[in-house]
Amino acid sequence: MDATVTRRWLLARLYEPEQTIVDCRFTLGKPEAGRESYEQEHIPGAVYLDLEHDLSSPVGEHGGRHPLPEPQVLAARLAKLGIGNHSRIVAYDDESGMNAARLWWLLRYLGHEQVFILEGGFSAWKAEKFPVTDHQPVRVPSTFEPKVQPQMLADVDQVRQVSEQTVNGGTHAGTHVSVSDAASALPILIDSRANDRYHGKNETLDKKAGHIPGALNYFWKDTQNADGSFKSAEQLAEHFAELDKDAGIIVYCGSGVTACPNVLALEKAGFKNVRLYAGSWSDWISYEENPVATGE
């Protein structure tokens, strides 16, 4: 089954007992806005998980602006909401799927495969006059035992190594060239941020502007259609056609959130070895010795 589900698919299964719907709405710079929106109205039966309080750890010296939550801490939070190892989770937000994709990635990192993203998010659901409510469900706690998948994650040392290999291997950062032209199965770094942030021209969130040397720029929103749904597998395969499918890929963004839709899109396009650099750019620049590239 695809990683995303349609609104009509969810409507037909809205009250199935093995399913938990999770509202992941969150607005950067307005940390209470997501929860307030949830309390005002949400999809019936939905529980709420906050990007910064539930889907991240407290910010430290390293780890970026949204450090990964500790597996046992997140597992305990999920269990309290009635999410167990056999639950089916459908996540949604109103931010083009970026926060829902963060939960999708985290659950799979904890070894849970039955997790999906609602196409179009809350606004599209409401626009079709599907049911909404302000009632907050009472959930019976469950048991969630995490089975961490470390192969899904890349740390800063691994990113440094890939960056050095990529630069020395002769790829042209900032252009969509096939890395196989430079070296067979050379690891690939993908920067998921908007083009101006990648180039270092418009950085409003982090202390330094630019990108990790050797990284290619694939803006995460380019994986979606105008209505906020993800492009088809065929469209995404074409979108990423210049990348070597035999290469390992590490995806990053500003803080490990908007990289997650790109991870989903790459997997949908048929890439098998895709890892997330969770700390992303905000972690990279927390190490003074790490080099920074700007421009093309």
Side-chain angles (χ1 to χ4, degrees):
M1 187 175 176
D2 200 344
T4 61
V5 296
T6 66
R7 296 179 290 281
R8 291 194 176 277
W9 184 96
L10 179 59
L11 182 66
R13 298 163 177 80
L14 195 56
Y15 299 105
E16 290 185 350
E18 70 273 16
Q19 176 173 272
T20 299
I21 303 169
V22 182
D23 188 318
C24 299
R25 284 178 286 176
F26 184 88
T27 304
L28 286 174
K30 299 178 180 178
E32 300 304 320
R35 179 172 291 279
E36 290 170 358
S37 296
Y38 166 79
E39 292 173 351
Q40 181 178 352
E41 57 181 1
H42 50 263
I43 296 176
V47 297
Y48 183 74
L49 284 174
D50 183 274
L51 173 63
E52 293 187 342
H53 293 152
D54 301 313
L55 306 183
S56 305
S57 289
V59 175
E61 181 182 2
H62 302 297
R65 286 183 279 108
H66 294 112
L68 288 187
E70 292 295 329
Q72 291 295 343
V73 173
L74 178 56
R77 177 67 178 132
L78 295 171
K80 188 176 180 179
L81 291 175
I83 297 172
N85 291 98
H86 301 290
S87 299
R88 181 177 72 229
I89 296 99
V90 178
Y92 71 87
D93 58 35
D94 231 358
E95 294 77 36
S96 301
M98 68 179 194
N99 300 317
R102 167 80 166 204
L103 178 60
W104 169 85
W105 187 91
L106 282 169
L107 281 164
R108 292 171 67 252
Y109 178 61
L110 298 187
H112 192 89
E113 293 293 333
Q114 287 292 308
V115 54
F116 308 95
I117 296 173
L118 178 65
E119 294 278 18
F122 182 76
S123 289
W125 173 274
K126 188 178 177 182
E128 294 199 44
K129 301 189 183 305
F130 290 165
V132 297
T133 183
D134 63 356
H135 174 71
Q136 298 185 35
V138 176
R139 301 285 297 177
V140 177
S142 185
T143 300
F144 191 102
E145 294 292 340
K147 299 177 181 178
V148 176
Q149 308 295 307
Q151 75 279 3
M152 292 176 56
L153 194 62
D155 61 27
V156 67
D157 291 328
Q158 292 167 324
V159 173
R160 285 191 190 108
Q161 183 178 14
V162 172
S163 175
E164 291 170 2
Q165 289 177 331
T166 304
V167 171
N168 293 336
T171 57
H172 303 286
T175 58
H176 294 177
V177 297
S178 172
V179 293
S180 59
D181 292 340
S184 178
L186 194 70
I188 303 169
L189 276 175
I190 288 181
D191 187 315
S192 305
R193 297 171 300 163
N195 189 257
D196 57 348
R197 290 187 67 201
Y198 169 85
H199 284 158
K201 295 178 180 178
N202 183 27
E203 183 55 68
T204 60
L205 294 172
D206 293 306
K207 295 179 179 178
K208 291 183 181 180
H211 59 267
I212 299 173
L216 304 177
N217 186 212
Y218 282 84
F219 184 34
W220 69 279
K221 281 195 174 182
D222 291 340
T223 65
Q224 300 180 350
N225 298 305
D227 64 357
S229 61
F230 278 87
K231 293 179 178 178
S232 68
E234 293 75 20
Q235 289 173 310
L236 291 171
E238 182 178 353
H239 176 63
F240 294 117
E242 293 169 320
L243 302 178
D244 187 344
K245 281 195 173 181
D246 292 327
I249 296 178
I250 297 176
V251 187
Y252 76 92
C253 57
S255 65
V257 179
T258 59
C260 295
N262 252 352
V263 172
L264 186 154
L266 282 158
E267 292 187 1
K268 190 171 181 177
F271 291 81
K272 303 297 184 184
N273 183 10
V274 183
R275 290 182 288 167
L276 174 70
Y277 174 26
S280 288
W281 178 248
S282 52
D283 176 63
W284 180 262
I285 61 174
S286 70
Y287 298 89
E288 286 297 327
E289 67 274 21
N290 282 346
V292 168
T294 57
E296 290 291 346

